[in-house]
């Protein structure tokens, strides 16, 4: 089975079968990679989808390599001076890449996992291996998107960008930024049957017609050596969650077997262990959201509907926001009504005012908020319900809504294992700026943005229990 071509964005060259026969310009022009299409290696530049199985980008690259009868190599570049040099995130990502490497080698697929300085190093690699086609996975975020723009000006081999993260490719679901879950839901369900198809098994694809393998497997990833070269900063790694595809799939199995049935009823109680804990695996692409959706729909119990609303509708709505709104992580990206109402109330008196440092250390007057902050700092995963409360209080206790937005994004990206993700930027924009929400009764500071308070939380769950479980500083 070939992959649905609507999942592939062709930046250069043709996608369909037979494209291997077309000749690219053979003369070398400046720094451009000039190769004969179909005659060299296929390179899968892995970025957001860090897995081999249930990965449409890997499958597409493999199918092309098999069709052209050329080797496939997976290239992954760890950026040397990455904007988020946090030990916690690298500690989760690197073992996942080790697993990718092992899995590739069992399939006869080469790997090159390396530290580099961006597109120039990738181009050097493409030249070195004589690449004929570059496949990569799609991400809507600024940095990775600009890499593609830079690359396309400098190479003349085809580049295929595959949406391997969403069940329905983000550009197919809608051609514009959606207003809310209500407006995107119907669009998603209309296309779901077409895209929620069974993944081909990569072992079977390889067994049918093995790609020529590399003589050498390139370098072997050494996690400790990589970490030592990166000058990583706190926050420290966490040990409660095992990274990687295998661990992620067994988390999914546990969730489906033990927790899914009670998900609808218990998911808003932060004292219950009722959430899936899949977000770090999904963020690093160590497991596929499509596979999760398929398995949960196949169970179809009382929790499935509520869970699908989150992992499918809300998650793909976040992707839609970041894909169509270039200011997704800035105050400027908020809906017009949200910005207007917040600006109208930006001079309102704040009873409590905290600096970034005070918030980061979790030393506000509100023990519930401090515990949520502490849960994030120490475990790398704040409960979903508390994330809403947490962000809204930052709005209430900082000088301006712009500052509140900046601080919430900064802390979320730094401490959450699943941070630096479209879901995070959307979550902050929802809580602080009314994105995908409607105007509520007007009040101080918040204007028409939905309000949450301590007493509301108290009515929903045992606040004291949550505080005692998450007061790591006093433990
Ligand atoms: P489960 O409840 O088990 O949900 C399963 C999956 O559904 C999640 O992994 C996620 O992919 C998706 N999902 C659940 N809730 C949402 C939601 N509200 N919006 C979009 N997708 C959702 N999510 C992140 O992945 N990264 C973040 O950095 C992040 N930051 C957030 C910040 C704020 C202020 C808010 C309000 C929400 C944020 N979320 C973020 C969304 C949500 O809180 C988390 O996805 C969820 O808590 C992750 O835990 P889980 O996988 O156990 O969730």
């Amino acid at each position: 089975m070939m992959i649905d071509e609507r999942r592939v964005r062709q930046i250069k060259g043709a996608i369909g079968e037979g494209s291997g026969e077309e000749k690219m310009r053979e003369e070398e022009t400046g720094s451009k990679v000039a190769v004969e299409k179909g005659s060299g290696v296929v390179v899968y530049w892995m970025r957001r989808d860090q897995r081999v199985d249930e990965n449409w980008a890997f499958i597409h690259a493999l199918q092309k390599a098999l069709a052209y009868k050329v080797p496939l190599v997976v290239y992954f570049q760890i950026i040397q001076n990455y904007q988020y040099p946090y030990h916690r995130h690298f500690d989760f990502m690197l073992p996942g890449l080790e697993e990718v490497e092992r899995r590739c080698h069992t399939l006869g697929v080469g790997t090159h996992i390396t530290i580099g300085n961006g597109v120039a190093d990738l181009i050097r690699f493409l030249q070195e291996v004589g690449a004929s086609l570059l496949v990569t996975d799609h991400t809507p975020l600024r940095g990775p998107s600009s890499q593609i723009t830079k690359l396309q000006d400098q190479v003349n081999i085809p580049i295929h960008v595959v949406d391997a993260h969403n069940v329905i490719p983000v550009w197919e679901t809608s051609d514009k930024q959606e207003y809310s879950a209500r407006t995107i839901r119907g669009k998603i369900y209309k296309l779901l049957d077409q895209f929620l198809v069974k993944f081909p098994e990569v072992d079977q694809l390889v067994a049918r017609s093995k790609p020529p393998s590399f003589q050498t497997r390139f370098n072997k990833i050494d996690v400790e050596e990589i970490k030592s070269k990166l000058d990583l900063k706190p926050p420290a790694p966490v040990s409660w969650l095992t990274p990687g595809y295998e661990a992620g799939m067994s988390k999914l199995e546990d969730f489906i077997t033990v927790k899914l049935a009670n998900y609808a009823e218990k998911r808003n109680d932060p004292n219950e262990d009722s959430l899936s804990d899949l977000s770090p695996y999904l963020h690093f692409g160590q497991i596929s959201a499509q596979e999760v959706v398929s398995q949960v729909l196949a169970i179809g119990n009382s929790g499935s509907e509520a869970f699908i609303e989150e992992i499918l509708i809300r998650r793909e709505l976040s992707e839609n926001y970041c894909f169509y709104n270039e200011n997704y992580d800035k105050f400027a990206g908020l809906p017009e009504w949200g910005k207007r109402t917040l600006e109208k109330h930006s001079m309102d008196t704040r009873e409590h005012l905290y600096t970034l440092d005070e918030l980061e250390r979790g030393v506000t007057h509100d023990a519930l908020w401090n515990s949520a902050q502490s849960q994030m700092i120490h475990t790398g995963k704040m409960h979903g319900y508390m994330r809403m409360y947490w962000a809204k209080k930052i709005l209430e206790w900082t000088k301006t809504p712009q500052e509140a937005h900046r601080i919430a994004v900064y802390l979320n990206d730094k401490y959450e294992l699943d941070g630096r993700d479209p879901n995070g930027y959307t979550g902050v924009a929802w809580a602080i700026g009314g994105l995908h929400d409607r105007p509520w009764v007007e009040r101080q500071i918040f204007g028409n943005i939905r309000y949450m308070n301590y007493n509301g939380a108290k009515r929903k769950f045992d606040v004291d229990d949550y505080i005692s479980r998450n007061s790591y500083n006093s433990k």
Side-chain angles (χ1 to χ4, degrees):
M1 186 189 74
M2 297 305 286
I3 101 167
D4 191 318
E5 287 192 3
R6 290 172 294 175
R7 205 173 265 293
V8 185
R9 275 204 151 174
Q10 170 203 335
I11 306 293
K12 291 194 154 181
I15 299 175
E17 277 309 286
S19 60
E21 283 139 38
E22 296 162 26
K23 301 274 177 182
M24 297 294 288
R25 276 186 297 138
E26 283 173 26
E27 64 281 9
E28 189 81 29
T29 47
S31 64
K32 289 194 173 189
V33 182
V35 289
E36 192 177 316
K37 208 160 46 145
S39 69
V41 168
V42 172
V43 174
Y44 167 29
W45 177 22
M46 182 179 276
R47 300 188 296 166
R48 183 158 75 142
D49 291 285
Q50 298 165 19
R51 65 186 181 282
V52 170
D53 296 274
E54 294 107 28
N55 177 348
W56 289 120
F58 181 87
I59 292 165
H60 180 66
L62 179 62
Q63 286 182 329
K64 288 294 172 198
L66 294 172
Y68 300 163
K69 299 191 180 358
V70 297
L72 168 65
V73 61
V74 173
Y75 176 91
F76 189 96
Q77 189 186 117
I78 298 157
I79 304 286
Q80 177 73 62
N81 294 311
Y82 187 49
Q83 190 189 353
Y84 309 101
Y86 305 126
H87 203 164
R88 174 169 293 174
H89 302 126
F90 279 89
D91 200 68
F92 197 84
M93 181 180 82
L94 292 171
L97 292 175
E98 270 185 314
E99 219 176 318
V100 165
E101 188 180 67
R102 280 196 300 275
R103 184 81 178 99
C104 282
H105 292 175
T106 62
L107 296 166
V109 169
T111 54
H112 190 67
I113 299 172
T114 180
I115 300 177
N117 284 308
V119 162
D121 285 330
L122 168 63
I123 291 174
R124 257 189 294 281
F125 180 76
L126 296 175
Q127 284 169 326
E128 201 181 296
V129 297
S132 59
L133 167 68
L134 180 66
V135 175
T136 190
D137 42 61
H138 158 76
T139 151
L141 301 185
R142 204 172 292 118
S145 304
S146 71
Q147 286 180 319
I148 300 287
T149 316
K150 274 189 216 149
L151 192 66
Q152 73 189 44
D153 292 338
Q154 295 182 55
V155 300
N156 60 11
I157 58 169
I159 303 172
H160 294 180
V161 180
V162 182
D163 189 343
H165 215 75
N166 293 299
V167 180
I168 296 157
V170 65
W171 45 79
E172 288 296 316
T173 305
S174 171
D175 58 5
K176 60 173 197 296
Q177 184 184 325
E178 291 293 331
Y179 290 105
S180 64
R182 185 180 54 77
T183 66
I184 205 171
R185 198 176 289 110
K187 296 183 178 181
I188 289 178
Y189 279 112
K190 199 167 137 211
L191 291 169
L192 193 58
D193 283 350
Q194 294 172 39
F195 286 100
L196 194 66
V197 294
K198 203 168 157 9
F199 284 100
E201 300 262 347
V202 291
D203 298 274
Q204 282 180 14
L205 289 177
V206 168
R208 252 180 262 144
S209 53
K210 231 175 167 24
S213 54
F214 273 101
Q215 293 299 312
T216 59
R217 286 169 171 181
F218 298 104
N219 59 352
K220 170 105 183 61
I221 176 174
D222 180 335
V223 168
E224 290 314 313
E225 194 191 331
I226 289 182
K227 282 201 230 165
S228 72
K229 287 183 180 161
L230 287 175
D231 189 21
L232 297 175
K233 308 258 186 303
V238 296
S239 55
W240 65 275
L241 199 62
T242 309
Y245 173 83
E246 294 291 339
M249 293 306 277
S250 75
K251 255 278 165 245
L252 171 62
E253 195 183 328
D254 285 353
F255 174 68
I256 287 178
T257 324
V258 183
K259 301 184 192 171
L260 179 62
N262 294 320
Y263 181 79
E265 189 195 327
K266 296 189 169 167
R267 75 197 154 109
N268 280 333
D269 184 341
N271 294 321
E272 293 282 349
D273 179 18
S274 65
L275 303 187
S276 67
D277 288 336
L278 292 180
S279 56
Y281 300 100
L282 291 166
H283 168 73
F284 286 100
Q286 293 178 349
I287 62 169
S288 142
Q290 177 170 336
E291 183 58 21
V292 177
V293 169
S294 295
Q295 292 199 22
V296 168
L297 283 177
I299 295 293
N301 70 17
S302 55
S304 303
E305 197 183 323
F307 188 73
I308 293 296
E309 179 67 16
E310 302 301 335
I311 192 153
L312 180 62
I313 307 300
R314 290 280 163 186
R315 201 184 46 75
E316 302 215 353
L317 180 61
S318 301
E319 295 275 332
N320 167 279
Y321 172 59
C322 293
F323 186 63
Y324 287 112
N325 190 322
E326 61 182 0
N327 290 315
Y328 57 79
D329 57 348
K330 299 189 170 81
F331 183 84
L334 303 181
E336 289 309 317
W337 73 264
K339 283 188 281 200
R340 218 177 310 118
T341 193
L342 288 170
E343 271 159 3
K344 180 175 163 200
H345 288 272
S346 66
M347 303 304 280
D348 291 353
T349 306
R350 270 84 171 144
E351 192 185 343
H352 303 281
L353 265 184
Y354 297 108
T355 61
L356 167 62
D357 178 58
E358 288 164 327
L359 291 168
E360 193 158 5
R361 286 187 290 118
V363 292
T364 73
H365 66 285
D366 178 344
L368 177 59
W369 193 93
N370 296 345
S371 302
Q373 173 71 10
S374 179
Q375 183 177 41
M376 179 173 75
I377 296 230
H378 291 91
T379 70
K381 188 167 180 288
M382 191 190 298
H383 187 279
Y385 179 84
M386 291 309 299
R387 294 191 197 205
M388 303 189 271
Y389 181 83
W390 172 84
K392 285 182 181 290
K393 292 294 142 185
I394 297 179
L395 170 61
E396 198 173 331
W397 301 334
T398 45
K399 282 193 206 129
T400 64
Q402 288 84 350
E403 184 182 54
H405 189 274
R406 231 179 1 256
I407 289 177
V409 166
Y410 169 77
L411 293 176
N412 195 79
D413 281 352
K414 180 170 176 185
Y415 291 101
E416 298 285 19
L417 262 181
D418 58 22
R420 308 154 326 285
D421 189 278
N423 282 349
Y425 302 123
T426 305
V428 169
W430 176 88
I432 291 181
L435 176 72
H436 303 149
D437 204 357
R438 64 172 173 85
W440 292 71
V441 176
E442 192 165 4
R443 58 188 311 135
Q444 288 285 293
I445 305 171
F446 283 73
N448 298 110
I449 304 295
R450 185 196 295 248
Y451 180 65
M452 278 173 84
N453 70 3
Y454 187 91
N455 287 334
K458 228 170 149 181
R459 281 194 295 275
K460 275 199 180 292
F461 63 94
D462 184 344
V463 163
D464 293 335
D465 188 22
Y466 180 78
I467 293 171
S468 75
R469 283 163 189 263
N470 293 292
S471 299
Y472 293 89
N473 292 340
S474 52
K475 275 182 185 165

